[in-house]
Amino acid sequence: MKPLMLAGQLDVLGDSLIKTVTDWGSAGLVAVLIVLVLVTIARQMSMKAAIGALLAMALALGIYKARNSLSDMVSDEINHPASGAGAVVVVVDPPRPGSGDVL
């Protein structure tokens, strides 16, 4: 009798493979951003370029790590626009004739 692999075992194997690839992708993004910062610093030889590259890396990593909460906020705003922040209305009164005010 030949041993059989059950579907439950394949499910666990698939989940494990997806998690591994996802973890590698997150670590790879950080590594690529660090290499990009180092290359920018080496090419420019400028403190201003180094600070700009570090700020861009911090911004990119912040957006990447907050992607789930940001997507939830955008989805909520699209699906429930009435519960979001209201539009700002500015009322401008025209000047009265003879008051000397400028619009």
Side-chain angles (χ1 to χ4, degrees), residues 12-74:
V12 171
L13 177 66
D15 289 344
S16 173
L17 182 64
I18 291 171
K19 184 176 179 337
T20 301
V21 170
T22 303
D23 291 343
W24 284 355
S26 296
L29 176 68
V30 173
V32 166
L33 286 174
I34 289 172
V35 168
L36 188 63
V37 167
L38 293 176
V39 166
T40 302
I41 292 170
R43 281 185 37 200
Q44 300 288 331
M45 285 299 189
S46 163
M47 188 57 97
K48 189 166 41 171
I51 292 171
L54 288 173
L55 288 174
M57 183 181 85
L59 180 66
L61 286 175
I63 291 173
Y64 179 74
K65 290 185 184 218
R67 67 190 182 276
N68 291 332
S69 61
L70 288 174
S71 69
D72 292 342
M73 285 185 225
V74 170

